[in-house]
Amino acid sequence: MPRRRYELGDLASFFAAFRAESDRACAVLARALLEDHVRKLLAALCVEGSDLRELFEGQAPLATFSARIRIASGLGLLATDEAADLNTIREIANDFAHGLDHT
């Protein structure tokens, strides 16, 4: 069965908007970008036509960024240091997103 394609998308427009944001927004946006790319990386392993919602949405096994990082690392798609970096970014973004004392 054919696999899905992994495409980066338009990063130039993302970074153009990114530069105009606050530190708080940058942390949250960077996490969203990286989370999306890890999702696309994992989705590229799935067969064409499969329902990705069963894996990536709601209460699905890969619905969270931390779960996606763990499985991508476990499959050898991410090096140990890359997974650690993604977890650090995830934690920083969570702190910015949920903390009331950040501007």
Side-chain angles (χ1 to χ4, degrees):
M1 298 213 133
R3 298 252 167 118
R4 296 173 184 271
R5 291 185 44 86
Y6 174 69
E7 296 180 17
L8 283 174
D10 181 16
L11 294 178
S13 65
F14 174 84
F15 285 112
F18 186 80
R19 284 190 280 280
E21 295 292 345
S22 67
D23 291 345
R24 181 182 202 144
C26 284
V28 175
L29 289 171
R31 175 214 160 109
L33 175 73
L34 293 168
E35 183 174 4
D36 185 57
H37 282 289
V38 173
R39 181 192 185 284
K40 287 178 181 177
L41 183 64
L42 292 169
L45 297 174
C46 298
V47 294
E48 188 85 28
S50 57
D51 185 359
L52 297 181
R53 292 175 298 183
E54 293 178 2
L55 292 173
F56 295 105
E57 294 180 16
Q59 298 298 313
L62 299 175
T64 66
F65 193 21
S66 61
R68 294 172 190 179
I69 294 167
R70 286 193 308 271
I71 196 71
S73 180
L75 291 171
L77 301 173
L78 296 172
T80 303
D81 60 331
E82 292 169 331
D85 290 346
L86 288 172
N87 275 310
T88 299
I89 292 165
R90 181 184 58 78
E91 292 166 2
I92 290 169
N94 280 346
D95 185 42
F96 270 111
H98 300 290
L100 297 176
D101 59 342
H102 302 292
T103 56

